[in-house]
Amino acid sequence: MAVHPRVQALAQTFLSYADEEAPGLVRGLYLTGSVALGDFRPHTSDVDFVIVTDRRLDTDEQELLRRAHSRTRAEMPRPQFNGIHLTWKDLTHPAEACGPVASVIAGRFKAHAQHDVNPVTWHVLAARGVTVRGPHPLELDVWDEPESLRAWALGSLEEQWRRWREKAGRLVTPRGLAVLGSLSPSWSVLSVSRLHFTLKTGEITSKSGAGLYALHAFPQQWQRIVNECLRVRRDVNRPSLYESALARRRAALDYIEMVLDESLRPGLAT
């Protein structure tokens, strides 16, 4: 699969520093997220990775990879290079059994975190992961179970997105003010649409794919906000479909509330 030149340059830059800092430690490097799903957008997307080692990293090895990530970020701060460090054995078990792992979140190395340790990462890697180093994903024994995707999507909506919607609904808060911009409404509207898609189908789609799905899955009254979010996602040089940021914010929050209610009703998953 062809990837954006900046994505390729970023991955190779990291590998060069990792091999310099810790020769032989990084045995596999796979790209997931928007790159694997064919929806990488240079102005908004991160580059999500799964790095594979033969064993769990000890403290010294974590420090070596921390330095490799730091040097990579100093040379190429954008797009961000975010993801998790696993072992081959980790991939053969459910994500829930993995526990905290060394991770890079929002460009910062964390020795123990569970961000992106979830069935979505395992599924995208198994089905569509982009190999930079290591065997092709089809040659790997990656645990992948559709029902786990539905369970994870439901939990994310119930736990993460209900809280997000509640906080974003308060205008005079950092999150509430962020929704006055264009990126936060687009990210949130398309993200909850992706989760609805997973509940219905047991599969994963990109943010852009989720927007196209939403245009057909929900009543016509929601098409304006979905099309606005797709416009932002695509970085189309066209004026907003809304007369004001406040109007767009209200439409996005109403849409998210609708999708939450629709997603959490009994019997949605097929």
Side-chain angles (χ1 to χ4, degrees):
M1 174 183 178
V3 299
H4 193 281
R6 284 196 62 79
V7 173
Q8 187 66 34
L10 178 60
Q12 293 300 331
T13 298
F14 168 76
L15 283 178
S16 68
Y17 287 133
D19 291 344
E20 183 180 324
E21 296 281 357
L25 184 60
V26 174
R27 309 295 287 180
L29 172 57
Y30 301 93
L31 305 182
T32 57
S34 61
V35 173
L37 295 170
D39 191 34
F40 176 76
R41 307 286 172 168
H43 67 293
T44 59
S45 297
D46 299 335
V47 175
D48 298 310
F49 67 77
V50 172
I51 288 169
V52 187
T53 53
D54 288 334
R55 60 187 180 278
R56 282 294 178 101
L57 303 173
D58 61 28
T59 302
D60 291 339
E61 290 167 335
Q62 288 179 356
E63 182 56 33
L64 293 173
L65 288 187
R66 183 195 300 272
R67 289 212 301 261
H69 283 291
S70 179
R71 293 173 69 184
T72 302
R73 185 170 64 252
E75 182 170 334
M76 295 188 68
R78 291 288 184 275
Q80 286 189 356
F81 196 49
N82 295 323
I84 56 180
H85 300 74
L86 303 175
T87 67
W88 302 115
K89 185 177 180 180
D90 288 333
L91 293 173
T92 67
H93 299 294
E96 309 87 72
C98 189
V101 298
S103 305
V104 179
I105 304 169
R108 301 297 175 184
F109 188 93
K110 307 288 185 183
H112 302 285
Q114 289 189 278
H115 189 77
D116 286 341
V117 181
N118 59 56
V120 173
T121 300
W122 267 241
H123 177 77
V124 173
L125 172 59
R128 302 180 66 175
V130 176
T131 305
V132 182
R133 173 179 290 177
H136 190 280
L138 293 177
E139 300 176 48
L140 302 177
D141 182 16
V142 181
W143 190 93
D144 186 23
E145 172 53 57
E147 283 307 314
S148 71
L149 291 175
R150 288 192 177 95
W152 180 85
L154 188 61
S156 181
L157 287 162
E158 288 180 323
E159 297 166 18
Q160 174 188 349
W161 282 102
R162 277 292 188 201
R163 291 197 304 270
W164 190 97
R165 170 62 183 82
E166 180 181 355
K167 292 179 180 179
R170 304 170 192 151
L171 179 57
V172 191
T173 63
R175 185 168 292 172
L177 291 172
V179 187
L180 285 172
S182 60
L183 293 181
S184 183
S186 178
W187 168 76
S188 55
V189 162
L190 299 178
S191 291
V192 297
S193 301
R194 288 179 75 182
L195 293 169
H196 188 279
F197 175 89
T198 295
L199 286 175
K200 281 291 286 185
T201 68
E203 287 295 330
I204 300 296
T205 189
S206 67
K207 287 187 176 69
S208 294
L212 297 176
Y213 161 79
L215 291 174
H216 300 284
F218 301 116
Q220 187 173 3
Q221 71 187 87
W222 304 109
Q223 290 192 3
R224 185 182 182 195
I225 185 59
V226 173
N227 278 317
E228 170 72 357
C229 293
L230 286 171
R231 181 193 68 82
V232 173
R233 175 78 181 165
R234 294 165 178 164
D235 197 26
V236 176
N237 189 22
R238 292 204 308 263
S240 173
L241 301 179
Y242 286 85
E243 63 277 9
S244 70
L246 277 170
R248 178 174 60 197
R249 175 182 180 274
R250 170 46 51 196
L253 293 175
D254 288 348
Y255 176 89
I256 291 166
E257 186 75 21
M258 178 276 296
V259 174
L260 286 170
D261 290 343
E262 171 70 14
S263 299
L264 299 176
R265 66 175 175 80
L268 172 64
T270 57

